[in-house]
Amino acid sequence: MKNKLNRLACPFLAIALLAFASCETTSKMEASMQKASDKITEKGQAMSDKNRVKIDESRAAIAKSKEEISPEQEYYIGREVASRILSKYKLYQNSKATNYVNEICTAITSMSDMPDIYNGYCVGILDTKEINAISTPGGHIFVTRGLLECASSEDELAAVIAHEVGHIQLKHAVKSIKTSRLNEATLSIMDAAGSIVTGGAYQEGLGSAADELMTTLSTTGYSKTQEYEADAKAASLMGDAGYNPNALKSMLEVLKEKENTENTGMVKTHPSASSRIFQARGYIRNAAHGKTFNEDKRTARFAAIKSSL
């Protein structure tokens, strides 16, 4: 009878021991699950805080993209860009030539609808054989020694300077800055949205996208539309200042010849000379209509400057 009871008790004991073990395991599991839950909550809170920061940054970027840029800000932005240009190229030390290009610029701007800007227009000559001209917001203009050497008249040189004045007066640089800021805001929004949806994984690759954007802005120059607009403005400015707008076409013809052998400067950052000639022909014709241009007066002084280069 005792053995029978023992035999009956053993299974119950085993079940009790199993139940005890099960309770202990359950307790450990619950503790483990609670710990994991706490970690998830903590991580979620951290991610939530991070997302809030990203959203705030996005809002700030959007607000910045809508801000107006004052003439004073344009000047200081332009001065910073100019300093970077001059860290790559030296100024050509020829006071006669420098005074000459500034006189041309004054003749062009004085008859325009923006004769005065914050701190005025300023033209410098870069000591390089590259054929190029660059303008920055705020009135800084650079023409290269190579461009001066390939021009065959003062009117052709005036066409280049008028084109750069056109960029300044049409505020193409300011528009590019605003576009860049808007792109920055868009990337910031994408970053914030990606972090919320994927827990941050989407951020990977945005850095390279931003790099590509900056590369595009710094190497391709203004858009084709803006270049055509600057040519149209140049033709108008030249006609009003007494320069022959047809010199814009002849200068573009010179650049067209250089396209076959050059891959830097204007060739790299501007639309093809052929397309520019095609786009500008109507503007040139209208700007020159009914006007006479005494180019002979300018021939001697242009020749004197050319001989000094």
Side-chain angles (χ1 to χ4, degrees), residues 191-203:
D191 189 7
S195 293
I196 292 166
V197 173
T198 66
Y202 193 81
Q203 188 173 0

Side-chain angles (χ1 to χ4, degrees), residues 67-78 112-121 135-140 162-180 222-223 225-227 229-231 233-234 237:
E67 288 178 1
E68 290 300 320
I69 298 172
S70 70
E72 185 177 359
Q73 288 172 322
E74 281 187 57
Y75 169 73
Y76 284 107
I77 291 169
S112 74
D113 54 2
M114 285 181 66
D116 297 309
I117 59 175
Y118 184 88
N119 223 34
Y121 299 89
S135 58
T136 78
H140 306 80
H163 176 89
E164 297 308 322
V165 170
H167 279 309
I168 293 166
Q169 294 192 353
L170 293 169
K171 294 191 177 293
H172 286 161
V174 172
K175 290 173 184 176
S176 293
I177 291 167
K178 286 189 173 183
T179 299
S180 179
Y222 293 117
S223 69
T225 299
Q226 289 175 324
E227 292 295 348
E229 287 174 351
D231 281 338
K233 183 70 172 176
L237 288 168

Side-chain angles (χ1 to χ4, degrees), residues 76-293:
Y76 284 107
I77 291 169
R79 193 171 74 168
E80 173 61 25
V81 174
S83 71
R84 295 186 184 190
I85 292 169
L86 292 176
S87 69
K88 183 177 179 182
Y89 300 100
K90 290 181 180 179
L91 279 174
Y92 180 44
Q93 299 302 315
N94 184 326
S95 58
K96 275 189 177 182
T98 301
N99 290 337
Y100 179 62
V101 292
N102 276 280
E103 286 169 3
I104 293 172
C105 184
T106 299
I108 291 166
T109 56
S110 62
M111 299 302 293
S112 74
D113 54 2
M114 285 181 66
D116 297 309
I117 59 175
Y118 184 88
N119 223 34
Y121 299 89
C122 180
V123 187
I125 303 171
L126 301 178
D127 194 3
T128 172
K129 291 291 187 179
E130 285 182 23
I131 299 169
N132 206 358
I134 307 163
S135 58
T136 78
H140 306 80
I141 298 170
F142 293 103
V143 294
T144 63
R145 186 178 176 185
L147 189 141
L148 264 68
E149 289 173 347
C150 75
S152 59
S153 70
E154 181 175 314
D155 288 52
E156 285 187 359
L157 181 55
V160 175
I161 294 173
H163 176 89
E164 297 308 322
V165 170
H167 279 309
I168 293 166
Q169 294 192 353
L170 293 169
K171 294 191 177 293
H172 286 161
V174 172
K175 290 173 184 176
S176 293
I177 291 167
K178 286 189 173 183
T179 299
S180 179
R181 285 180 175 180
L182 186 59
N183 287 331
E184 183 183 338
T186 302
L187 290 175
S188 181
I189 292 165
M190 289 167 63
D191 189 7
S195 293
I196 292 166
V197 173
T198 66
Y202 193 81
Q203 188 173 0
E204 187 177 348
L206 285 181
S208 60
D211 289 341
E212 288 170 11
L213 174 63
M214 291 305 297
T215 299
T216 300
L217 290 173
S218 62
T219 61
T220 60
Y222 293 117
S223 69
K224 282 186 177 182
T225 299
Q226 289 175 324
E227 292 295 348
Y228 298 150
E229 287 174 351
D231 281 338
K233 183 70 172 176
S236 175
L237 288 168
M238 290 176 72
D240 291 342
Y243 286 108
N244 189 343
N246 285 292
L248 173 61
K249 180 177 180 293
S250 61
M251 190 65 202
L252 288 172
E253 293 285 0
V254 173
L255 294 177
K256 184 179 175 181
E257 291 178 14
K258 298 293 182 182
E259 285 176 347
N260 298 323
T261 56
E262 299 279 338
N263 62 355
T264 59
M266 283 187 168
V267 173
K268 182 181 178 184
T269 60
H270 287 64
S272 71
S274 295
S275 70
R276 290 175 66 187
I277 292 168
F278 179 80
Q279 291 290 333
R281 68 194 191 285
Y283 298 115
I284 292 170
R285 186 168 56 249
N286 291 338
H289 182 68
K291 296 178 181 177
T292 56
F293 308 99

